[in-house]
Amino acid sequence: MTDLLLYGDTERSAALRHEVPIVIGDPFLFAEVGGRTILLASTLERDRMAAARPDAELIETTDLGFHELLRGGQSRDEILLELVSRAVAQLGVRDAIVDPEFPVAVADRLRADGVVLTPDHAAVAQRRRVKSPAELAGIRLAQRAAEAGMAAAAAVLREAQPDGDTLVRNGAPLTAEDVRDAIRVACAAHGAPAPADIIVASVWQGFGHEPGSGPLPAHLPIQIDLWPRDESSGCWADMTRTFVVGDVTGAVRAQDALVSEAFGTVRDAVRPGITGRELHAMTCDIFEAAGHRTQRTGPGDDPNEGFQFSLGHGIGLDLHEDPGMGQLGRSPLIAGDVIAIEPGLWDRAIGGVRYEDLLLVTDDGCEVLTHFPYDLTP
């Protein structure tokens, strides 16, 4: 069995949060050596670590000379590096795989000690492809918050009226900021705050991950993409809906029909063994047959037009994680994966329609975790 080393804190490292499912703000060492799980624990975290991972062995920093190091005049960073070095030496680790996010300073120290470290994204990511019961519960909670946020957005849009080509609410132009504020209040009230850069955008605001700002248009698609994070588990949800306030043009209805067809085709095809690349290709087949350019064909004179992005992504303790759901998604899906699928189309004149749901891959297909209508009318 190959030894594994992880180092960091569980607030920023999804790999560590999976292994030790509690919030630990200070960096620590996680090791798997010869089938044993070992944690380098300070006195502040010892009891919490023991409760979270009762199967793990604890090496206490005091047993590695922590107080002696304090008296030696070294800096905090120098002491932490020395403690990791001593722990790894005590465990007899000479060769280990690490997360590509493993800190450079720690890697430099261990390599100077003669330890061979090999970054291995696939091996580390594979450990958390199948969600634990607590992680899956956290994703479900975050998704309920996402639906509350989307409902709040729809409620704000329902209060707006077209005034020429602009939406007006309470006598003033309705802005992306107004809708975003309502979303964030609703998500936070459900225990899963949404970041400040969630997307409320149209052709006026821009393409891709542009969050959107300023007045929103009437009679054109408004895409709302939001991703709250459950505070307790640290797990994310992600969903997108598209709304039009005013007249829905034939061009928008055509987009909606194609995106809905692709969405249903992919959802019905999700099962263990299929790859994200294959699912992406199914989407491209539908869009290309209707005359749209895709990421597979490459863009035309507008780099954004058509379907110039991935079909989606895995989700869990990271917002974007394995398995890949685009042209590079060659890893077969497995039961226990949670994926976001989000086919969409973009047109330089009208903007675009996009929908996004979360799917849990099951033994014989998938369970849709998102429960919210797809109506263009909010």
Side-chain angles (χ1 to χ4, degrees):
M1 178 179 291
T2 304
D3 293 341
L4 167 70
L5 297 177
L6 302 173
Y7 185 83
D9 62 71
T10 64
E11 291 188 288
R12 290 175 290 183
S13 170
L16 270 171
R17 183 66 174 265
H18 177 74
E19 305 295 347
V20 186
I22 56 174
V23 175
I24 299 175
D26 292 325
F28 66 97
L29 179 72
F30 171 96
E32 274 193 1
V33 181
R36 302 156 54 204
T37 299
I38 304 101
L39 304 176
L40 178 58
S42 71
T43 55
L44 293 175
E45 307 292 359
R46 177 187 55 213
D47 293 343
R48 298 175 66 237
M49 285 182 168
R53 286 298 303 261
D55 60 315
E57 304 171 35
L58 301 183
I59 297 177
E60 297 195 33
T61 57
T62 53
D63 295 335
L64 295 174
F66 174 66
H67 292 291
E68 169 197 336
L69 293 171
L70 282 179
R71 294 189 292 270
Q74 292 179 298
S75 69
R76 176 180 182 272
D77 289 339
E78 290 170 330
I79 290 174
L80 291 176
L81 289 175
E82 181 62 28
L83 290 170
V84 171
S85 174
R86 292 181 183 186
V88 170
Q90 180 173 305
L91 294 171
V93 176
R94 304 308 302 163
D95 192 327
I97 63 170
V98 297
D99 190 335
E101 296 179 358
F102 198 81
V104 172
V106 181
D108 284 349
R109 173 58 188 268
L110 294 179
R111 285 170 172 152
D113 293 341
V115 181
V116 176
L117 301 179
T118 304
D120 191 334
H121 169 82
V124 175
Q126 186 70 24
R127 296 171 67 89
R128 54 192 179 88
R129 286 276 301 274
V130 176
K131 303 301 182 275
S132 71
E135 289 167 353
L136 186 54
I139 292 171
R140 292 182 189 274
L141 288 170
Q143 182 54 41
R144 299 292 82 78
E147 290 156 16
M150 194 65 73
V156 171
L157 291 171
R158 281 196 301 273
E159 296 174 353
Q161 298 292 329
D163 183 4
D165 62 356
T166 303
L167 292 181
V168 172
R169 173 174 170 261
N170 298 330
L174 178 65
T175 66
E177 290 85 351
D178 295 331
V179 178
R180 186 178 297 111
D181 288 347
I183 293 170
R184 297 187 71 208
V185 168
C187 289
H190 283 72
D197 60 341
I198 56 173
I199 295 169
V200 180
S202 71
V203 70
W204 287 7
Q205 280 80 20
F207 175 79
H209 290 156
E210 167 59 44
S213 62
L216 292 170
H219 318 300
L220 291 175
I222 299 168
Q223 290 186 5
I224 298 179
D225 188 350
L226 56 96
W227 49 93
R229 187 186 190 203
D230 174 52
E231 288 186 305
S232 178
S233 67
C235 288
W236 296 87
D238 199 359
M239 72 178 293
T240 302
R241 290 295 185 267
T242 304
F243 299 113
V244 178
V245 180
D247 299 327
V248 182
T249 66
V252 173
R253 291 198 185 279
Q255 277 193 347
D256 180 61
L258 282 171
V259 172
S260 296
E261 179 185 355
F263 197 85
T265 299
V266 167
R267 182 182 56 217
D268 293 345
V270 168
R271 65 184 185 277
I274 199 167
T275 67
R277 182 180 177 87
E278 291 172 305
L279 295 171
H280 188 267
M282 292 178 189
T283 307
C284 292
D285 287 342
I286 292 170
F287 291 162
E288 289 168 13
H292 293 281
R293 301 190 69 87
T294 70
Q295 192 180 58
R296 187 169 65 180
T297 64
D301 59 351
D302 185 326
N304 301 324
E305 208 152 56
F307 177 51
Q308 299 298 330
F309 45 89
S310 170
L311 177 63
H313 49 89
I315 192 168
L317 288 166
D318 267 334
L319 179 59
H320 293 169
E321 62 181 39
D322 285 6
M325 298 297 294
Q327 289 294 291
L328 299 178
R330 295 184 172 87
S331 177
L333 300 186
I334 58 177
D337 276 329
V338 177
I339 58 174
I341 59 167
E342 48 182 327
L345 287 169
W346 183 265
D347 180 279
R348 73 187 78 182
I350 62 173
V353 173
R354 182 162 55 90
Y355 298 117
E356 179 181 23
D357 279 357
L358 295 189
L359 309 180
L360 168 65
V361 182
T362 62
D363 290 334
D364 57 359
C366 70
E367 175 190 349
V368 180
L369 301 183
T370 307
H371 303 288
F372 199 91
Y374 307 98
D375 300 334
L376 288 173
T377 301

